[in-house]
Amino acid sequence: MRNIVLIGFMGTGKTSVGRKLATALGLSFVDMDAIIEEREGRPITEIFATDGEPYFRDLERNLVCELAAREGLVVGTGGGVVLNPDNLSDFAATGLLVCLQASPETILDRVAHDTTRPLLAGEDKMKKILGILESRQPLYAALPHQVDTDGLTIAEVSEHIRRLYAAD
Ligand code: S3P
């Protein structure tokens, strides 16, 4: 059973959609950030603050290798998984890559009160969202399947991906 790997910027709904989709398909949902936090015994914000982003990216990279070697998973990735092309090629070898997109306004709506994302911490979240989006959008846009989640419910996005998977 091929995996489904959900990719996309923070706040595009990877976790909520992933859970729903996994239930619909009878697959197991795994959330990369949650696994990393559980294994490290501390939240992502603390990992970034204490050991820095490169340390986190190493943990993320190792977890990609581990999950890409499994099957029957719906994987909710962290938004920065696209930064390393090896992550994408490893996941693509055993799974369907689907990129969730959302407008900066929708993203801001979804992360406005969030304190768990170190890259968006502090004042002027919109400026941070736009800055990171600008550098990453080409990486997200290059993924084979794109789903624009603006105005769609979690159930609608999940159903759309279920059809993509069935047709794959
Ligand atoms: C990150 C996104 C986060 C998390 C970390 C870094 C990013 O995951 O992995 O804070 O670089 O975009 P979500 O996309 O689940 O918020």
Side-chain angles (χ1 to χ4, degrees):
M1 206 48 156
R2 275 171 79 68
N3 298 325
I4 301 178
V5 183
L6 302 180
I7 296 171
F9 197 77
M10 295 170 265
T12 51
K14 302 177 297 277
T15 305
S16 326
V17 168
R19 285 218 172 86
K20 181 120 201 145
L21 181 62
T23 305
L25 288 169
L27 301 178
S28 304
F29 176 68
V30 292
D31 180 325
M32 289 187 62
D33 287 344
I35 295 175
I36 290 172
E37 289 187 328
E38 193 189 315
R39 290 184 181 172
E40 285 284 302
R42 52 193 178 142
I44 304 277
T45 39
E46 203 179 311
I47 299 174
F48 269 67
T50 309
D51 294 297
E53 184 171 343
Y55 176 83
F56 173 79
R57 296 298 171 205
D58 279 350
L59 297 174
E60 193 174 46
R61 171 72 195 131
N62 291 336
L63 185 55
V64 168
C65 296
E66 182 185 322
L67 297 177
R70 291 173 55 185
E71 53 178 44
L73 300 178
V74 176
V75 182
T77 63
V81 83
V82 288
L83 296 172
N84 184 341
D86 293 342
N87 288 341
L88 302 179
S89 51
D90 287 341
F91 269 143
T94 54
L96 177 74
L97 305 191
V98 179
C99 182
L100 303 188
Q101 296 275 2
S103 68
E105 291 73 23
T106 302
I107 290 169
L108 181 64
D109 249 23
R110 292 178 184 162
V111 304
H113 302 292
D114 183 283
T115 55
T116 66
R117 292 174 166 111
L119 297 180
L120 301 180
E123 296 302 299
D124 208 344
K125 283 200 181 359
M126 187 50 134
K127 195 168 161 201
K128 292 189 175 120
I129 290 169
L130 291 174
I132 306 172
L133 261 181
E134 190 182 357
S135 61
R136 287 198 192 157
Q137 197 49 254
L139 304 173
Y140 293 128
L143 292 164
H145 298 285
Q146 301 284 325
V147 183
D148 182 357
T149 67
D150 275 345
L152 296 186
T153 63
I154 289 162
E156 285 166 338
V157 177
S158 167
E159 176 56 17
H160 185 83
I161 300 170
R162 200 189 59 72
R163 275 192 241 117
L164 284 177
Y165 185 64
D168 185 48

